[in-house]
Short mmCIF file of all heavy atoms in Angstrom, two decimals:
data_model
loop_
_atom_site.label_atom_id
_atom_site.label_comp_id
_atom_site.label_asym_id
_atom_site.label_seq_id
_atom_site.Cartn_x
_atom_site.Cartn_y
_atom_site.Cartn_z
N GLU A 28 -1.35 -9.48 -5.87
CA GLU A 28 -2.09 -9.67 -4.63
C GLU A 28 -3.29 -8.72 -4.66
O GLU A 28 -3.13 -7.53 -4.96
CB GLU A 28 -1.18 -9.36 -3.44
CG GLU A 28 -1.73 -9.65 -2.08
CD GLU A 28 -0.71 -9.30 -1.00
OE1 GLU A 28 0.46 -9.74 -1.10
OE2 GLU A 28 -1.08 -8.57 -0.07
N GLY A 29 -4.48 -9.22 -4.37
CA GLY A 29 -5.68 -8.40 -4.47
C GLY A 29 -6.09 -7.75 -3.16
O GLY A 29 -5.33 -7.72 -2.19
N ILE A 30 -7.34 -7.24 -3.13
CA ILE A 30 -7.81 -6.48 -1.97
C ILE A 30 -8.88 -7.21 -1.18
O ILE A 30 -9.44 -6.64 -0.23
CB ILE A 30 -8.36 -5.10 -2.41
CG1 ILE A 30 -9.64 -5.26 -3.25
CG2 ILE A 30 -7.31 -4.31 -3.16
CD1 ILE A 30 -10.41 -3.96 -3.43
N THR A 31 -9.17 -8.46 -1.51
CA THR A 31 -10.31 -9.14 -0.89
C THR A 31 -10.12 -9.37 0.61
O THR A 31 -11.10 -9.55 1.33
CB THR A 31 -10.57 -10.49 -1.58
OG1 THR A 31 -9.35 -11.26 -1.62
CG2 THR A 31 -11.05 -10.28 -3.01
N ASP A 32 -8.89 -9.38 1.09
CA ASP A 32 -8.64 -9.61 2.52
C ASP A 32 -8.42 -8.32 3.31
O ASP A 32 -8.09 -8.36 4.50
CB ASP A 32 -7.41 -10.52 2.70
CG ASP A 32 -7.67 -11.93 2.20
OD1 ASP A 32 -8.83 -12.38 2.26
OD2 ASP A 32 -6.70 -12.58 1.74
N ILE A 33 -8.64 -7.18 2.67
CA ILE A 33 -8.43 -5.91 3.36
C ILE A 33 -9.50 -5.72 4.44
O ILE A 33 -10.70 -5.88 4.18
CB ILE A 33 -8.45 -4.73 2.37
CG1 ILE A 33 -7.23 -4.80 1.44
CG2 ILE A 33 -8.49 -3.40 3.11
CD1 ILE A 33 -5.90 -4.70 2.16
N ASP A 34 -9.05 -5.37 5.62
CA ASP A 34 -9.94 -5.19 6.77
C ASP A 34 -10.07 -3.70 7.06
O ASP A 34 -9.09 -2.95 7.02
CB ASP A 34 -9.33 -5.92 7.98
CG ASP A 34 -10.30 -6.02 9.15
OD1 ASP A 34 -10.75 -4.97 9.64
OD2 ASP A 34 -10.59 -7.16 9.57
N ILE A 35 -11.28 -3.27 7.38
CA ILE A 35 -11.52 -1.86 7.66
C ILE A 35 -10.68 -1.37 8.83
O ILE A 35 -10.28 -0.20 8.88
CB ILE A 35 -13.02 -1.60 7.93
CG1 ILE A 35 -13.31 -0.10 8.04
CG2 ILE A 35 -13.50 -2.35 9.15
CD1 ILE A 35 -13.01 0.69 6.79
N HIS A 36 -10.34 -2.27 9.76
CA HIS A 36 -9.50 -1.87 10.89
C HIS A 36 -8.13 -1.38 10.41
O HIS A 36 -7.57 -0.42 10.94
CB HIS A 36 -9.31 -3.04 11.86
CG HIS A 36 -10.57 -3.41 12.59
ND1 HIS A 36 -11.35 -4.47 12.21
CD2 HIS A 36 -11.17 -2.85 13.66
CE1 HIS A 36 -12.38 -4.56 13.03
NE2 HIS A 36 -12.31 -3.59 13.91
N ASP A 37 -7.58 -2.05 9.38
CA ASP A 37 -6.27 -1.63 8.87
C ASP A 37 -6.36 -0.28 8.18
O ASP A 37 -5.45 0.56 8.32
CB ASP A 37 -5.73 -2.70 7.91
CG ASP A 37 -5.44 -4.01 8.62
OD1 ASP A 37 -4.83 -3.97 9.70
OD2 ASP A 37 -5.86 -5.06 8.12
N ILE A 38 -7.42 -0.04 7.44
CA ILE A 38 -7.60 1.27 6.82
C ILE A 38 -7.66 2.36 7.89
O ILE A 38 -7.04 3.42 7.76
CB ILE A 38 -8.87 1.29 5.95
CG1 ILE A 38 -8.67 0.39 4.71
CG2 ILE A 38 -9.22 2.71 5.52
CD1 ILE A 38 -9.88 0.30 3.81
N ASN A 39 -8.38 2.09 8.98
CA ASN A 39 -8.52 3.09 10.05
C ASN A 39 -7.19 3.32 10.77
O ASN A 39 -6.85 4.48 11.08
CB ASN A 39 -9.60 2.64 11.03
CG ASN A 39 -10.99 2.72 10.42
OD1 ASN A 39 -11.22 3.50 9.49
ND2 ASN A 39 -11.91 1.93 10.93
N TYR A 40 -6.45 2.26 11.05
CA TYR A 40 -5.13 2.45 11.68
C TYR A 40 -4.20 3.21 10.73
O TYR A 40 -3.41 4.06 11.16
CB TYR A 40 -4.52 1.11 12.06
CG TYR A 40 -5.07 0.51 13.33
CD1 TYR A 40 -5.68 -0.75 13.32
CD2 TYR A 40 -4.99 1.19 14.53
CE1 TYR A 40 -6.19 -1.30 14.48
CE2 TYR A 40 -5.50 0.65 15.71
CZ TYR A 40 -6.10 -0.60 15.68
OH TYR A 40 -6.61 -1.15 16.83
N GLY A 41 -4.28 2.90 9.44
CA GLY A 41 -3.46 3.61 8.47
C GLY A 41 -3.76 5.10 8.47
O GLY A 41 -2.84 5.94 8.40
N LYS A 42 -5.02 5.45 8.57
CA LYS A 42 -5.40 6.87 8.62
C LYS A 42 -4.81 7.56 9.84
O LYS A 42 -4.35 8.71 9.76
CB LYS A 42 -6.93 7.00 8.61
CG LYS A 42 -7.55 6.64 7.27
CD LYS A 42 -9.05 6.43 7.35
CE LYS A 42 -9.80 7.72 7.50
NZ LYS A 42 -11.27 7.51 7.43
N ARG A 43 -4.78 6.84 10.97
CA ARG A 43 -4.17 7.40 12.18
C ARG A 43 -2.68 7.65 11.99
O ARG A 43 -2.11 8.59 12.56
CB ARG A 43 -4.40 6.46 13.37
CG ARG A 43 -5.80 6.47 13.90
CD ARG A 43 -6.01 5.42 14.98
NE ARG A 43 -5.12 5.61 16.14
CZ ARG A 43 -5.16 4.83 17.22
NH1 ARG A 43 -6.03 3.83 17.28
NH2 ARG A 43 -4.33 5.05 18.22
N LEU A 44 -2.06 6.83 11.17
CA LEU A 44 -0.62 6.96 10.92
C LEU A 44 -0.30 7.91 9.77
O LEU A 44 0.87 8.14 9.46
CB LEU A 44 -0.03 5.58 10.61
CG LEU A 44 0.01 4.59 11.79
CD1 LEU A 44 0.19 3.16 11.29
CD2 LEU A 44 1.15 4.97 12.74
N GLY A 45 -1.35 8.45 9.13
CA GLY A 45 -1.13 9.39 8.02
C GLY A 45 -0.99 8.74 6.67
O GLY A 45 -0.33 9.29 5.78
N TYR A 46 -1.62 7.56 6.50
CA TYR A 46 -1.52 6.82 5.24
C TYR A 46 -2.88 6.69 4.56
O TYR A 46 -3.93 6.67 5.22
CB TYR A 46 -0.99 5.40 5.49
CG TYR A 46 0.41 5.31 6.03
CD1 TYR A 46 0.66 4.64 7.24
CD2 TYR A 46 1.48 5.86 5.35
CE1 TYR A 46 1.94 4.53 7.75
CE2 TYR A 46 2.78 5.75 5.85
CZ TYR A 46 3.00 5.08 7.05
OH TYR A 46 4.27 4.97 7.54
N ALA A 47 -2.84 6.53 3.25
CA ALA A 47 -4.00 6.12 2.46
C ALA A 47 -3.70 4.74 1.89
O ALA A 47 -2.55 4.44 1.54
CB ALA A 47 -4.26 7.11 1.32
N LEU A 48 -4.72 3.89 1.80
CA LEU A 48 -4.53 2.54 1.27
C LEU A 48 -5.00 2.48 -0.18
O LEU A 48 -6.13 2.88 -0.49
CB LEU A 48 -5.30 1.52 2.10
CG LEU A 48 -5.06 0.06 1.73
CD1 LEU A 48 -3.61 -0.34 2.00
CD2 LEU A 48 -6.01 -0.86 2.48
N LYS A 49 -4.14 2.00 -1.06
CA LYS A 49 -4.44 1.90 -2.48
C LYS A 49 -3.97 0.55 -3.01
O LYS A 49 -3.04 -0.06 -2.46
CB LYS A 49 -3.71 3.01 -3.27
CG LYS A 49 -4.03 4.43 -2.82
CD LYS A 49 -5.47 4.81 -3.13
CE LYS A 49 -5.76 6.25 -2.73
NZ LYS A 49 -7.19 6.60 -3.00
N LEU A 50 -4.62 0.08 -4.07
CA LEU A 50 -4.05 -1.05 -4.82
C LEU A 50 -3.07 -0.44 -5.80
O LEU A 50 -3.46 0.26 -6.74
CB LEU A 50 -5.13 -1.83 -5.57
CG LEU A 50 -4.57 -3.05 -6.33
CD1 LEU A 50 -4.19 -4.17 -5.37
CD2 LEU A 50 -5.56 -3.56 -7.37
N LEU A 51 -1.79 -0.69 -5.58
CA LEU A 51 -0.75 -0.06 -6.39
C LEU A 51 -0.12 -1.05 -7.37
O LEU A 51 0.05 -2.23 -7.05
CB LEU A 51 0.36 0.51 -5.50
CG LEU A 51 0.02 1.70 -4.62
CD1 LEU A 51 1.27 2.19 -3.90
CD2 LEU A 51 -0.62 2.83 -5.41
N ALA A 52 0.21 -0.54 -8.53
CA ALA A 52 1.06 -1.26 -9.48
C ALA A 52 2.41 -0.59 -9.44
O ALA A 52 2.52 0.63 -9.65
CB ALA A 52 0.47 -1.18 -10.88
N VAL A 53 3.44 -1.36 -9.12
CA VAL A 53 4.78 -0.80 -8.92
C VAL A 53 5.76 -1.47 -9.88
O VAL A 53 5.84 -2.70 -9.95
CB VAL A 53 5.26 -1.02 -7.46
CG1 VAL A 53 6.67 -0.46 -7.28
CG2 VAL A 53 4.29 -0.39 -6.47
N GLY A 54 6.49 -0.66 -10.62
CA GLY A 54 7.55 -1.16 -11.48
C GLY A 54 8.82 -0.38 -11.21
O GLY A 54 8.79 0.86 -11.14
N LYS A 55 9.94 -1.09 -11.03
CA LYS A 55 11.21 -0.43 -10.77
C LYS A 55 12.30 -1.06 -11.63
O LYS A 55 12.29 -2.27 -11.87
CB LYS A 55 11.60 -0.55 -9.30
CG LYS A 55 10.68 0.18 -8.34
CD LYS A 55 11.18 0.05 -6.91
CE LYS A 55 10.29 0.80 -5.94
NZ LYS A 55 10.77 0.69 -4.54
N ASN A 56 13.21 -0.23 -12.08
CA ASN A 56 14.33 -0.70 -12.89
C ASN A 56 15.61 -0.16 -12.26
O ASN A 56 15.89 1.04 -12.31
CB ASN A 56 14.19 -0.20 -14.33
CG ASN A 56 15.26 -0.76 -15.24
OD1 ASN A 56 15.94 -1.73 -14.89
ND2 ASN A 56 15.42 -0.17 -16.41
N SER A 57 16.38 -1.04 -11.62
CA SER A 57 17.59 -0.62 -10.93
C SER A 57 18.74 -1.55 -11.28
O SER A 57 18.58 -2.49 -12.06
CB SER A 57 17.35 -0.65 -9.41
OG SER A 57 17.17 -1.99 -8.96
N ASP A 58 19.89 -1.29 -10.70
CA ASP A 58 21.04 -2.15 -10.95
C ASP A 58 20.79 -3.58 -10.47
O ASP A 58 21.41 -4.53 -10.97
CB ASP A 58 22.28 -1.58 -10.24
CG ASP A 58 22.74 -0.27 -10.85
OD1 ASP A 58 22.38 0.00 -12.01
OD2 ASP A 58 23.43 0.50 -10.16
N SER A 59 19.88 -3.74 -9.50
CA SER A 59 19.57 -5.08 -8.99
C SER A 59 18.69 -5.87 -9.94
O SER A 59 18.61 -7.09 -9.84
CB SER A 59 18.87 -4.96 -7.62
OG SER A 59 19.70 -4.31 -6.69
N GLY A 60 18.00 -5.16 -10.85
CA GLY A 60 17.11 -5.82 -11.79
C GLY A 60 15.77 -5.12 -11.83
O GLY A 60 15.60 -4.00 -11.32
N ILE A 61 14.81 -5.77 -12.43
CA ILE A 61 13.46 -5.22 -12.59
C ILE A 61 12.52 -5.89 -11.60
O ILE A 61 12.52 -7.11 -11.45
CB ILE A 61 12.96 -5.43 -14.03
CG1 ILE A 61 13.73 -4.52 -14.99
CG2 ILE A 61 11.46 -5.16 -14.14
CD1 ILE A 61 13.46 -4.77 -16.45
N GLU A 62 11.73 -5.07 -10.92
CA GLU A 62 10.68 -5.63 -10.06
C GLU A 62 9.34 -5.08 -10.50
O GLU A 62 9.20 -3.89 -10.80
CB GLU A 62 10.94 -5.34 -8.58
CG GLU A 62 10.97 -3.89 -8.18
CD GLU A 62 11.21 -3.73 -6.68
OE1 GLU A 62 12.39 -3.79 -6.27
OE2 GLU A 62 10.23 -3.55 -5.93
N VAL A 63 8.36 -5.97 -10.56
CA VAL A 63 7.01 -5.59 -10.98
C VAL A 63 6.03 -6.28 -10.05
O VAL A 63 6.04 -7.49 -9.90
CB VAL A 63 6.74 -5.96 -12.45
CG1 VAL A 63 7.27 -4.92 -13.40
CG2 VAL A 63 7.34 -7.33 -12.81
N ARG A 64 5.17 -5.49 -9.43
CA ARG A 64 4.27 -6.06 -8.44
C ARG A 64 2.98 -5.25 -8.34
O ARG A 64 2.98 -4.02 -8.51
CB ARG A 64 4.96 -6.12 -7.07
CG ARG A 64 5.74 -4.87 -6.67
CD ARG A 64 6.65 -5.15 -5.48
NE ARG A 64 7.61 -4.08 -5.22
CZ ARG A 64 7.48 -3.16 -4.26
NH1 ARG A 64 6.42 -3.16 -3.48
NH2 ARG A 64 8.42 -2.24 -4.08
N VAL A 65 1.90 -5.95 -8.06
CA VAL A 65 0.59 -5.34 -7.84
C VAL A 65 0.10 -5.83 -6.49
O VAL A 65 0.01 -7.04 -6.25
CB VAL A 65 -0.42 -5.75 -8.94
CG1 VAL A 65 -1.83 -5.33 -8.56
CG2 VAL A 65 -0.02 -5.16 -10.28
N HIS A 66 -0.22 -4.91 -5.60
CA HIS A 66 -0.67 -5.30 -4.26
C HIS A 66 -1.22 -4.08 -3.53
O HIS A 66 -0.94 -2.93 -3.89
CB HIS A 66 0.49 -5.89 -3.45
CG HIS A 66 1.70 -5.02 -3.40
ND1 HIS A 66 1.75 -3.83 -2.70
CD2 HIS A 66 2.92 -5.15 -3.98
CE1 HIS A 66 2.94 -3.27 -2.84
NE2 HIS A 66 3.68 -4.05 -3.63
N PRO A 67 -2.01 -4.29 -2.47
CA PRO A 67 -2.42 -3.17 -1.64
C PRO A 67 -1.20 -2.57 -0.95
O PRO A 67 -0.27 -3.30 -0.58
CB PRO A 67 -3.36 -3.80 -0.61
CG PRO A 67 -3.73 -5.14 -1.15
CD PRO A 67 -2.56 -5.58 -1.98
N ALA A 68 -1.21 -1.27 -0.76
CA ALA A 68 -0.09 -0.61 -0.09
C ALA A 68 -0.55 0.68 0.55
O ALA A 68 -1.46 1.35 0.05
CB ALA A 68 1.04 -0.32 -1.08
N PHE A 69 0.08 1.00 1.66
CA PHE A 69 -0.12 2.30 2.28
C PHE A 69 0.85 3.29 1.65
O PHE A 69 2.02 2.96 1.41
CB PHE A 69 0.15 2.23 3.79
CG PHE A 69 -0.98 1.65 4.59
CD1 PHE A 69 -0.78 0.53 5.38
CD2 PHE A 69 -2.24 2.23 4.57
CE1 PHE A 69 -1.81 -0.01 6.14
CE2 PHE A 69 -3.29 1.70 5.32
CZ PHE A 69 -3.07 0.58 6.11
N ILE A 70 0.35 4.50 1.40
CA ILE A 70 1.21 5.59 0.95
C ILE A 70 0.91 6.82 1.80
O ILE A 70 -0.22 7.03 2.23
CB ILE A 70 1.02 5.92 -0.56
CG1 ILE A 70 -0.46 6.09 -0.90
CG2 ILE A 70 1.65 4.88 -1.44
CD1 ILE A 70 -0.70 6.48 -2.34
N LYS A 71 1.94 7.61 2.07
CA LYS A 71 1.78 8.81 2.88
C LYS A 71 0.76 9.76 2.25
O LYS A 71 0.71 9.91 1.03
CB LYS A 71 3.12 9.52 3.05
CG LYS A 71 4.01 8.93 4.14
CD LYS A 71 3.46 9.27 5.52
CE LYS A 71 4.44 8.84 6.62
NZ LYS A 71 3.84 9.10 7.98
N ASN A 72 -0.01 10.42 3.09
CA ASN A 72 -1.02 11.36 2.58
C ASN A 72 -0.40 12.51 1.79
O ASN A 72 -1.09 13.16 1.00
CB ASN A 72 -1.83 11.93 3.75
CG ASN A 72 -2.77 10.91 4.35
OD1 ASN A 72 -3.22 9.99 3.67
ND2 ASN A 72 -3.07 11.05 5.64
N SER A 73 0.89 12.75 2.00
CA SER A 73 1.58 13.82 1.27
C SER A 73 1.92 13.43 -0.17
O SER A 73 2.26 14.29 -0.99
CB SER A 73 2.86 14.22 2.01
OG SER A 73 3.71 13.09 2.19
N HIS A 74 1.83 12.14 -0.49
CA HIS A 74 2.15 11.68 -1.85
C HIS A 74 0.99 12.02 -2.78
O HIS A 74 -0.18 11.87 -2.41
CB HIS A 74 2.40 10.17 -1.84
CG HIS A 74 3.06 9.68 -3.10
ND1 HIS A 74 2.40 9.61 -4.32
CD2 HIS A 74 4.31 9.21 -3.32
CE1 HIS A 74 3.23 9.13 -5.23
NE2 HIS A 74 4.38 8.90 -4.66
#
């Protein structure tokens, strides 16, 4: 999922909530299986 639909209002609300918006690539390997995804996501400013 890309960033073309990202609205500045969401970035501003995210900042109020203590988040930064990034296009993240996420890969996880758990007992449930492997998940791999690319999409915009909010992450805490402490990360």
Side-chain angles (χ1 to χ4, degrees):
E28 187 180 310
I30 67 166
T31 53
D32 292 330
I33 292 299
D34 191 301
I35 187 62
H36 292 100
D37 295 314
I38 291 178
N39 290 335
Y40 281 121
K42 289 166 74 173
R43 286 175 60 178
L44 291 162
Y46 296 123
L48 186 65
K49 302 293 182 182
L50 182 74
L51 292 185
V53 179
K55 295 183 179 180
N56 186 15
S57 67
D58 293 339
S59 300
I61 289 172
E62 62 179 82
V63 277
R64 45 194 168 101
V65 170
H66 53 70
F69 281 122
I70 49 177
K71 278 287 187 184
N72 288 332
S73 57
H74 194 289

